[in-house]
Amino acid sequence: MAIRNYLRQFLRDVRAQKLRLFLTVFGIVWGTAAVTLLLAFGEGLQKRVVRAQKGLGDAIVIAWPMRTTKPWEGLPRGRNLRMTEADVAALRSEVEEIDRISEEYARNRGRVGWGRKALSADIAGANTEFGEMRSLVPQEGGRWFNEQDLAERRRVVFLGDQLKRDLLGEGAEAVGESVRLDGTPFLVIGVLQTKDQDSSYSGRDKDKVFIPSTTFKAIYGPEEIDNFIFQVLDPLKVADAKRKVTETAARLHRFDPTDEEAIQMWDTTEGMKFLTTFFIAFRTFLGVVGALTLVVGGIGVSNIMNVAVEERTKEIGIKMALGARRRYVIGQFLFETLTITLAGGLLGFLTSWAICAVFPQLGLEDYVGTPVISAQVAGITTLVLGGIGLVAGYFPARTAASLRPVEALKM
Amino acid sequence: MNLFVGRNGKKNGQAAPSSPPPIIDMRGLRKVYDTGAIQVEALRGIELVVQPREFVAIVGPSGSGKSTLLNIVGCLDVPSEGSYRLDGEEVAELDLDELADIRNRKVGFVFQSFNLLPQITAYENVEMPLLFKGAGARERRERVGWLFEQVGLADRMRHKPTELSGGQMQRVAIARALACEPALILADEPTGNLDTSSGQDIMSLFEQLAEKGHTLVLITHDAALARRTRRIVRLQDGLIVEDGPVSRAA
Ligand SMILES: Nc1ncnc2c1ncn2[C@@H]1O[C@H](COP(=O)(O)OP(=O)(O)OP(=O)(O)O)[C@@H](O)[C@H]1O
Ligand SMILES: [Mg+2]
């Protein structure tokens, strides 16, 4: 029988069974949309969280000198560990795993002024490598500190983007302007490019100002650094590097090299590892929820097809009495299920796609990210649903088609 | 008037070697319904031969096996035992698809309850056997149009069955039965669901068909209608107890 005859038959059935058809298609649309959207939002959220995590810095370790917790060579525990730029220089040369390192000075609630305006902001002093480690990318026309800035203790400043807006206004050009830090004039050399940042250890970068560490020391005069950060590009060497940092500092400051609490370290790669594991679990969960939705949708389809065959046994009997071959009866049901499933899958996919297209306008992207639909997921969803529908349609149809016409007609 | 014993003038089952085979040729046919606990023997050895162009009525009390017999004649059911040749072909040897083709091309069935598909139009109902036969669009259109004229319903083709009267529905069903030019037209109490006057109309239609040379077998409870055929076969308890021509003079 030609496909056109199936189609003709199908269109007649559609006319006759509008409600059932609607319910079937709805079930598949629902299943497909649920699965694609769940996975789309899962993926979007993951991308957003990972990007924000990298906003603090990509795989860096932040280290704070604390106090010793073990006695060592006659020295008691509880001694404060005071570290300086010299220690950072020593770490740079002695711990070969370290690729970048920078000291960091911090001054809370400094006065930042421009013209007649003044704000309170945290001021950090850092070196040339700090910018890259902490993802402090300048907006166009700006730059981070260079070696000369540090060598000459230049009074140059890198502004957080929010602080720049608050101080100079949205549209104003900041680079080249002069701002006052606690009364001292500084030349603005760069403004932070807006970035997502979920975690921090001293306030968001967008609200801060950064100056060269040498300048910081010259103006504010601390001997002691507040903390230092370093980066190990090979993730397998991070643990070694951390251990060696403690050992080196222990040698220089005479404390127990196994005293891991003397220097407190925050390893953001661990956060990434956690996030990766978390999202594997999260997406597995969404996958299971999606799969269950599909199974429920599939049961719905199977139910509807079962009812369809049962209700239509008489119709099948009439058609067989008129000379319909088994293949025609089975083919009719398979054709219908396939058409319904494909149409439903497509509709479900379009629904998800539309939701994802509209979603950015809701302004929730900062919280949950941008949902990303994968055609693969939609395809698999449709195939699975179609499979369930076909299986559910095939067996009852075959049963009906193997009835003797007299039996089918008695229905 | 005169007696009718089949158009070829021979006695049943004794056609000349040169003439075509009988349409129906049943020998020792039995049908047993196995309903688990009890076995019902609905047909207990039927011998029946119907020649081309015959017009036969099957009569008998309720439960005597009339429908069972007609269903087997129409290949809607299969016998438990015995031989049945339809238009020269042994039906017992056919598979399901071949049986479907036989029903499509050789048999036109008219049911007491019409058995039209309610969701589609009268036209589409009549067209259906032609679709199963694989007829082209043009052939279908011409054939269906012609059939509706034959049954006098050309103005009702686009109506749904539910929009037609019982008599009209039965005429659509007859048009459908005729669609593939069957060798044999079967009707199981075709007037059973109709009022007297519609029943008369349907019977007249059958008479016209017989007149044109179709082979017809119908079941009826109505003795007056049975007498309008040319041969009456009486069933009782699954056996033929009487088989003879109708006397038109009576
Ligand atoms: N599917 C079935 N299963 C079991 N027994 C059946 C079945 N169909 C018919 N019978 C039995 O076979 C016998 C003949 O039934 P059939 O329907 O052929 O009678 P009938 O002559 O057509 O009767 P009626 O005039 O009432 O239509 C009856 O005893 C009936 O109960
Ligand atoms: Mg009956």
Side-chain angles (χ1 to χ4, degrees), chain B residues 158-173:
Chain B
R158 300 295 166 190
H159 288 244
K160 293 255 181 84
T162 44
E163 299 159 2
L164 300 174
S165 73
Q168 288 171 330
M169 282 198 267
Q170 198 58 302
R171 278 192 271 167
V172 173

Side-chain angles (χ1 to χ4, degrees), chain B residues 204-218:
Chain B
S204 306
L205 195 50
F206 280 122
E207 282 173 327
Q208 284 169 34
L209 292 171
E211 213 54 55
K212 284 178 190 150
H214 283 100
T215 311
L216 284 125
V217 178
L218 58 87

